[in-house]
Amino acid sequence: MKQLIVISSAIILTLTSFTFNNGGKLPSATVKNLDGTSINSNTFSNDGKPMIISFWATWCKPCKKELDAINEEYAELQKETGVKLIAISIDDARSSGKVVTDVKSKGWTYEVYIDENQDFKRAMNVNNVPHTFLIDGKGEIVWSHNSYAEGDEEILFENVKKLVKGEKISH
Amino acid sequence: MVYSQSKYYLALLGLVLSINLKSQSFKEDPGAIHGNFQFDGAYYQKDSAIGADPGSELFRYNAFGNITYTRGGFSAGGRFESYNPPLLGFLSGYKGSGVPYRFARYAHKDIDITVGNYYEQFGSGIVFRAYENRGLLYDNAMDGMRVIFRPKNGITLKGVIGKQRTYFSLSPGTVRGIDGEVNVMELFDSTLGKLKTKVIIGGNFVSKYQQDQDPTLVLPENVAAGSGRFTVIRGGFNFNAEYAFKANDPSYQNHYSYRDGHALIASTSYATNGFSFLLSGKMIDNMSFRSDRNATNTIDMINYLPDFSKFHTYSLMAYYPYATQPNGEIGGSAEIQYKVKKGTWLGGKYGMDITLNGSMFFGTDTTGIPVIKDTANHYKYTTNYGSVGDEYYHDFNIEITKKFTKKLKMTLMYANQFLNQSIVQFNTLDKEEHPDIHSNIGVIDLTWRYKSNSAIRFEGQGYFASYDYKDKKIDPVTNEKNIIGNTGSWVSALVEWTPSTHWSITVADQYNYNNPDITKRVHYYYGMLAYISGPTRISISYGRQRQGIFCAGGVCRFVPASNGLSLSISSSF
């Protein structure tokens, strides 16, 4: 009986979550940049232009695939829309030393932060990486996506472009 | 005990909310409610071919849901968890349901206060780290109070006190600690801000209290530990180190030795566009630190001793993983990453990534002290820091990733690994049941993106092992060649089809083709269908799961073989 309740509530929650809009501002959590300086996540901004926040880890293959795929078009997309990508690594002391070496050797030009004890991940309700959020010029979370499949980056690019033009974004 | 505390907590939360609700500003900004949840359930079946026996409880699940209310600097929330009973391979102590995590937090300018549950770490965590890994069901959240104070830019002070979560209850011990960190560049921003060298220093003191109820031993009730750390960053160079000390702390894990504990970890790296180098090393001696001296598994761990071996994602590369040995270990790892430039002969149109990685770990070189000479101190052994003990593990591997065309990508990987399984996973010297394992592992991973949002991925793996029983090569009873704990070699294949970005279909087979026991040469077939939309992922899978070892927080747990139908749902809002 208990099991039935848990399963049915999980299903109900899933169905309702489809209708939920993400909404809301960025929560407050402390992350560190690659110089070791602490930054509060609620101060992330991009001068009224959209931001992408992508949670990843050095040990997560799909995360790196996604960030590589975005990187190929990033310079062009930035020129066109002014978007900025903030990559949040959830690596802990086991692999946090690898964040800077991965970022540099892959040639990523993203703004990178380390969320070593996953406080920001928790505040953003991220279950698993990769998880990517789109934030509009007013700092509202307007879209999010969990996991990565080939082609997901194109949906993200389209949504960024729609956001800049003020069109409704697709889910 | 947890539940009576919950009542106080709810009363406090109600008070805060009612004050909020009456205020004018609340009507303008009512705050926001967010959360997430995950459900993983399985219906198991008995499968004698792979030795899977789920017992009488065939349906098992792990489920949790978080709900957080946020308004300005105030937030409060909780997590409901349910395991009736937990999935196979997870600690059975979690059986049950409840709200083991609930908190209220207020952060404003330079002060940040949390009451209830919280996660926190000091430095790299080798003295104190309260954290969660929901997938592994690791959770040593603190239950008490935390204050973070930033009196000036560049200075962070933290204070924690409370008890750690133990399944659905609390640890018998209490943990309290303070930590300070100074970011020199940030502190003197106006005068030194333009300096190219960044220096961060920090230190902490942590103590635990647990009553001595032992009738024979005089156990220390208060145990102190502390560490100092520093980081230096200049240009592409990065260096950081942390040294930790722990006072005498006899426990089940260290066989009730009264020696002090020490740990030193250090790493240095250099990174520039397209090239990087990373070197990490550590020495650990008697550094298991738990709030309950009798605890085992991943329960009541106060500190976190990171493992520097490569975190493998291909299943056969991680067949026999390594885990930090808190009782004693010396080792390190090195990694070089190089991106062959686009337009070169090797790099082709898209470039090529090469990663070389190696790690080696040894035991500490110890000498036992005869009991008769140890009656006053109970040290049990001494450590000779000038040399190392037996080899525990090594992993030398190379990974090459290349994109040939816009549609075709390939990853090739090779590893040579060694595992001293008896010590690392079973804490025994018995090579008869747990032989040393030498292995060579190869992986090929091909992705063909035949349309912009459709792809097929193929993964082939081979695990070729030899098992070394040392002087226990022949079974003394049957007089035959010993094959206990020998699963021979494996090959596996996997095809993953993502017809659109919403759907994915996976079929896989792992074949234990040359198990020395002919009846165990079986196929582990597996299939999965997944649907993804925005933050929601739903998957259904069916098939066999081989037995394996999963490691978290420096402790490995054994996951038995299983066969069954699984359902997973996760989402956030």
Side-chain angles (χ1 to χ4, degrees):
Chain A
M1 189 61 209
K2 258 187 187 169
Q3 293 167 350
L4 217 74
I5 294 170
V6 172
I7 298 171
S8 48
S9 48
I11 291 167
I12 291 164
L13 275 167
T14 312
L15 294 174
T16 47
S17 70
F18 282 115
T19 59
F20 263 107
N21 202 336
N22 279 285
K25 301 258 183 207
L26 287 173
S28 154
T30 304
V31 291
K32 284 190 172 175
N33 69 14
L34 296 182
D35 285 343
T37 305
S38 298
I39 313 272
N40 193 315
S41 53
N42 64 14
T43 64
F44 289 158
S45 76
N46 188 27
D47 298 324
K49 292 183 182 117
M51 285 187 287
I52 301 163
I53 293 186
S54 183
F55 283 84
W56 70 289
T58 61
W59 41 262
C60 165
K61 278 246 150 66
C63 302
K64 289 162 105 169
K65 270 190 187 174
E66 177 172 35
L67 290 171
D68 270 338
I70 295 173
N71 195 43
E72 283 178 20
E73 314 283 329
Y74 188 49
E76 212 170 297
L77 189 73
Q78 267 194 312
K79 215 183 272 173
E80 193 181 332
T81 63
V83 72
K84 172 165 90 174
L85 191 146
I86 295 176
I88 308 284
S89 140
I90 59 160
D91 287 87
D92 66 19
R94 173 171 184 179
S95 47
S96 56
K98 239 173 93 62
V99 174
V100 63
T101 58
D102 272 17
V103 168
K104 287 274 189 168
S105 51
K106 288 200 162 279
W108 295 341
T109 53
Y110 309 135
E111 209 171 288
V112 181
Y113 297 92
I114 302 179
D115 183 21
E116 202 165 344
N117 212 28
Q118 309 190 349
D119 294 322
F120 187 42
K121 172 178 176 262
R122 221 174 345 262
M124 293 288 278
N125 291 303
V126 170
N127 275 340
N128 300 302
V129 286
H131 198 124
T132 302
F133 294 87
L134 187 55
I135 288 97
D136 71 10
K138 290 178 215 135
E140 296 273 336
I141 302 164
V142 291
W143 179 86
S144 91
H145 188 268
N146 167 239
S147 85
Y148 172 73
E150 306 275 338
D152 271 336
E153 72 279 7
E154 290 182 7
I155 297 170
L156 177 70
F157 298 156
E158 267 172 45
N159 281 335
V160 171
K161 288 173 193 167
K162 281 183 182 169
L163 201 57
V164 171
K165 287 184 203 149
E167 294 169 17
K168 204 172 176 312
I169 58 170
S170 52
H171 287 270
Chain B
M1 200 162 82
V2 179
Y3 295 101
S4 66
Q5 284 179 352
S6 302
K7 276 182 210 156
Y8 290 118
Y9 168 78
L10 285 172
L12 181 75
L13 184 63
L15 185 72
V16 173
L17 281 176
S18 61
I19 293 167
N20 259 319
L21 286 167
K22 279 179 193 161
S23 66
Q24 181 58 38
S25 61
F26 182 82
K27 283 161 194 156
E28 289 155 17
D29 172 20
I33 291 174
H34 290 284
N36 64 1
F37 66 90
Q38 186 162 325
F39 172 87
D40 297 287
Y43 189 83
Y44 295 104
Q45 63 193 61
K46 199 171 167 162
D47 184 349
S48 49
I50 58 167
D53 185 1
S56 56
E57 292 198 89
L58 299 178
F59 184 79
R60 291 162 172 264
Y61 69 90
N62 295 357
F64 69 83
N66 282 292
I67 287 191
T68 309
Y69 169 76
T70 313
R71 184 171 177 266
F74 175 80
S75 59
R79 184 194 316 116
F80 170 77
E81 293 177 33
S82 183
Y83 319 93
N84 276 314
L87 292 170
L88 286 177
F90 292 92
L91 296 176
S92 57
Y94 277 104
K95 184 170 177 162
S97 298
V99 185
Y101 176 83
R102 64 278 182 281
F103 73 97
R105 179 177 169 201
Y106 183 71
H108 183 67
K109 287 182 182 164
D110 46 16
I111 195 117
D112 180 343
I113 298 169
T114 307
V115 293
N117 296 104
Y118 57 88
Y119 298 98
E120 180 56 80
Q121 86 176 56
F122 292 168
S124 56
I126 60 174
V127 170
F128 176 76
R129 185 179 186 212
Y131 73 106
E132 60 170 336
N133 185 327
R134 300 246 70 81
L136 297 168
L137 203 43
Y138 181 102
D139 189 344
N140 63 347
M142 290 281 283
D143 182 282
M145 190 169 168
R146 174 185 67 175
V147 178
I148 301 173
F149 180 45
R150 294 190 174 84
K152 216 170 170 328
N153 256 356
I155 299 179
T156 307
L157 303 170
K158 293 174 182 176
V160 297
I161 188 159
K163 283 175 181 281
Q164 289 180 297
R165 173 179 181 183
T166 308
Y167 301 118
F168 279 102
S169 184
L170 296 176
S171 159
T174 306
V175 181
R176 48 265 159 119
I178 49 167
D179 181 79
E181 185 171 283
V182 179
N183 184 325
V184 177
M185 180 194 69
E186 238 187 313
L187 181 61
F188 302 107
D189 203 17
S190 50
T191 47
L192 298 174
K194 292 187 180 77
L195 276 191
K196 282 182 183 156
T197 307
K198 286 131 196 162
V199 178
I200 300 161
I201 52 174
N204 60 66
F205 177 82
V206 175
S207 142
K208 66 159 175 172
Y209 172 82
Q210 186 185 8
Q211 215 183 348
D212 174 17
Q213 291 175 319
D214 193 288
T216 51
L217 293 168
V218 180
L219 297 167
E221 295 191 319
N222 289 285
V223 175
S227 79
R229 62 183 186 267
F230 76 99
T231 301
V232 180
I233 299 168
R234 190 187 166 98
F237 283 98
N238 206 309
F239 178 83
N240 66 72
E242 182 163 357
Y243 168 75
F245 169 86
K246 186 187 63 146
N248 64 357
D249 178 26
S251 67
Y252 174 81
Q253 171 115 39
N254 79 358
H255 313 294
Y256 293 93
S257 163
Y258 282 64
R259 291 177 79 245
D260 294 335
H262 306 269
L264 176 67
I265 63 171
S267 76
T268 184
S269 69
Y270 173 72
T272 182
N273 241 347
F275 173 81
S276 71
F277 173 77
L278 170 68
L279 189 66
S280 308
K282 65 172 168 176
M283 191 286 295
I284 285 163
D285 186 13
N286 187 27
M287 267 310 277
S288 165
F289 191 32
R290 299 181 191 241
S291 56
D292 177 3
R293 60 175 81 85
N294 302 313
T296 56
N297 291 319
T298 47
I299 295 302
D300 291 339
M301 297 170 91
I302 299 172
N303 64 345
Y304 168 75
L305 299 167
D307 167 24
F308 290 146
S309 71
K310 188 171 178 118
F311 203 137
H312 286 294
T313 44
Y314 292 110
S315 60
L316 291 181
M317 286 275 171
Y319 192 0
Y320 282 109
Y322 184 64
T324 296
Q325 298 300 302
N327 287 348
E329 172 195 75
I330 297 174
S333 70
E335 182 167 281
I336 294 168
Q337 293 192 72
Y338 180 63
K339 193 179 187 86
V340 182
K341 283 201 178 73
K342 290 175 191 177
T344 58
W345 177 73
L346 257 178
K349 198 176 166 191
Y350 298 94
M352 180 167 97
D353 293 330
I354 302 173
T355 304
L356 272 169
N357 174 286
S359 58
M360 270 185 113
F361 299 93
F362 299 88
T364 42
D365 181 17
T366 58
T367 312
I369 306 172
V371 178
I372 197 149
K373 289 185 183 166
D374 200 28
T375 47
N377 293 326
H378 300 289
Y379 284 171
K380 314 256 169 161
Y381 66 94
T382 57
T383 303
N384 174 15
Y385 293 113
S387 61
V388 297
D390 290 342
E391 186 182 356
Y392 282 173
Y393 178 81
H394 77 232
D395 177 9
F396 302 111
N397 58 75
I398 178 167
E399 183 174 354
I400 295 168
T401 301
K402 181 156 171 64
K403 188 167 170 177
F404 294 100
T405 65
K406 236 181 153 69
K407 289 184 173 171
L408 187 68
K409 251 185 300 193
M410 180 177 76
T411 298
L412 287 176
M413 198 170 174
Y414 164 77
N416 175 278
Q417 295 179 357
F418 165 79
L419 181 70
N420 185 335
Q421 179 184 209
S422 61
I423 296 272
V424 172
Q425 288 169 351
F426 297 94
N427 201 14
T428 153
L429 290 169
D430 181 9
K431 299 283 178 207
E432 192 176 342
E433 280 201 34
H434 310 295
D436 289 351
I437 303 163
H438 297 266
S439 57
N440 288 294
I441 309 148
V443 171
I444 178 167
D445 182 339
L446 286 164
T447 304
W448 179 48
R449 188 168 173 174
Y450 62 92
K451 273 194 336 207
S452 75
N453 63 349
S454 311
I456 293 176
R457 191 171 77 84
F458 168 80
E459 193 184 288
Q461 303 184 48
Y463 177 89
F464 309 103
S466 67
Y467 296 74
D468 185 354
Y469 294 87
K470 302 286 177 189
D471 54 339
K472 302 283 178 58
K473 278 195 175 82
I474 304 296
D475 190 307
V477 182
T478 59
N479 225 8
E480 282 173 8
K481 210 175 154 200
N482 198 349
I483 55 163
I484 305 169
N486 182 342
T487 57
S489 299
W490 295 70
V491 286
S492 84
L494 175 148
V495 177
E496 182 186 87
W497 179 39
T498 45
S500 82
T501 56
H502 285 300
W503 293 94
S504 108
I505 296 162
T506 307
V507 288
D509 183 28
Q510 279 192 7
Y511 180 34
N512 192 186
Y513 71 94
N514 80 339
N515 194 311
D517 180 348
I518 291 166
T519 61
K520 288 181 180 161
R521 292 181 182 174
V522 288
H523 288 271
Y524 288 68
Y525 50 81
Y526 174 82
M528 182 174 77
L529 172 69
Y531 173 73
I532 296 136
S533 173
T536 304
R537 184 176 189 280
I538 302 170
S539 70
I540 294 170
S541 61
Y542 179 76
R544 285 171 164 167
Q545 212 86 53
R546 66 166 166 77
Q547 67 176 50
I549 304 281
F550 286 84
C551 300
V555 176
C556 295
R557 65 194 164 77
F558 176 77
V559 177
S562 65
N563 186 351
L565 181 71
S566 300
L567 170 72
S568 288
I569 304 170
S570 86
S571 191
S572 59
F573 56 88

